[in-house]
Amino acid sequence: MLGMTYFFIIQQTFALHARKLCTTGKFKYNKSTLLMTQEQAIEILKTGVNVFLTGEPGSGKTHTVNQYADYLREHNIAPAITASTGIAATHLNGITIHSWAGIGIKEHLSKRDLEKIAKTSYVKKRVEKAKVLIIDEISMLEAGTFTMVDLVCKQIFENKTPFGGLQVVVVGDFFQLPPIGREAQFAFKSNAWEKANFAVCYLTEQYRQDDTDFLTMLSAIRANAFNSNHLQIIENRVIEFEQTPKDITRIFSHNFDVDRLNSQELDQLPGKPEVFYMFSRGQRNFVDNLKKGCLSPETLELKKDACVMFTKNNIKEGFVNGTIGKVIGFSEESNYPIIQITTGEQIEVSPMEWTVEEHGSIKARIAQVPLRLAWAITIHKSQGMSLDGAVIDLQKTFEFGQGYVALSRVRRLSGLYLLGYNQKAFLTHPEMQNQDQIFREKSQEMGENFSLTPKEKVLEKQNIFLIACGGTTERQVYVKESIAIKKEKVSTYDKTLALINEGKNIEEIVDARHITKGTVIGHLENLILKEKINYEELEQLVDERLLSRLPEISQAFRELDTDKLQPVFEKFHGQYSYDELRLARLFLAFSSG
């Protein structure tokens, strides 16, 4: 790994060239012209230094980091794309940093915890594969969590330099939503942040808002300089709920208001709802904590055309926590909802599990279809979005930055419809005034040093970084994942069938095709329906344990007179997973025939 030595060499090179050019009179610069642009930030990122990419809402932070990620892929380097929250991860097609580092909901890591994470094969493989770690929405990541990620990387790479030598790119705006918790601290207060020695790239261009008055007001909120003149602008946008335009996003500060509006919208759709109940098992206190942390409700009601949001990550199936979609129907076989997401992909969504583990054993588990209604969203869920218009309610804001985040989602004042506000709605975190000035000065210094470095030296550093990461200096043709997936699905069943004909079992097919067990079972259901595999071939795919339990599982399906999984799952109190029950149900297809 490159480590921090590489960063300091680059940083000192920039400064050295700046001093030489200034003392010889070969270069003069005007500080006011050295604003950080997206193009310059990308060039700095390419050199491999650790970067804090920041800027006001609409300055193009997500676009810039996406451009950098594409650049890395074009040079045969796969970046690790993560974010502090699930909804933020969707904007980058990534996963949460908590999942990526294997720390989950832990608040601290003991030596034993670190050793266990480092030995967990899928976490170890995931971290070792990374050369660049990107963390979006850094404002919401608590300092302690940031430190834990640093420790995990050091442990896995067996490298004591910050983050085990990875290039770390943190993205976000600390004026937006802060970490949750009374004593939670911003990531920049952690020791790991200080040691990472981030180059600050403070983007100064504006791409979202094009309304001067609106921009002036947002800047005033950011500087805690909101006054009576700005309030008058706000007052002119206040309306009654009955006056709100139809088919426009509604943003609230509390889940209660979101849930209420979502229920009203569901009631207006025709027909009876399909109901999905949460299953739980384990110690009561652990179960209660799981339910509180689960975004899916205990009783989930859905109808065709309902707007929904996924509440759990499943990268292989094509969704993460925060993915938005629409119910287009329900499976005839399983009755599970079929969701069409914004990319056009259709996903049959089966229940997933949330568990609590302590000292190596599972203390509690809950299972539910990982969805929730999504006609209305919270301010938290809206972070990162750009909207032509929105109905926003700031009457119950309770956290610094909430009002600022909600208002800055809208592109222009004419698209803002405000239901009301309270005294905290236009306040940002007081701690950020001085810190923001520090970030701006560091960005200015970085921009000056970088602009004074000869282009050939910058290109040399960029090529050294590519080679050190195992990449290529020549640009490669990069096919985006969404396109590749669509191509792969054309013959996906035949690919699975070919592996079955080679004598591979389910686990071997999962490994060979890099898909989930649930997806393989779905392929089996299709292949059996088309009579492409028989009973004996199915038997070869299933492990001995399940084969020995088939009689009692089959009997349960018959006694309950159902082909649905949930009643049977509950009858056995979670003894068999949903995947096992789906496999057992396949054998019933042969016996009934």
Side-chain angles (χ1 to χ4, degrees), residues 341-357:
I341 60 177
T342 53
T343 61
E345 299 288 333
Q346 294 180 10
I347 304 169
E348 181 180 329
V349 188
S350 57
M352 294 181 70
E353 291 187 348
W354 290 257
T355 62
V356 168
E357 183 177 319

Side-chain angles (χ1 to χ4, degrees), residues 32 48 60 122 126 155 174 353 356 402 475-476 554 588 592:
S32 63
Y122 67 90
R126 180 193 295 147
Q155 182 79 15
F174 285 106
E353 291 187 348
V356 168
Q402 276 188 317
R475 183 178 175 183
Q476 307 293 309
S554 300
L588 288 177
S592 60

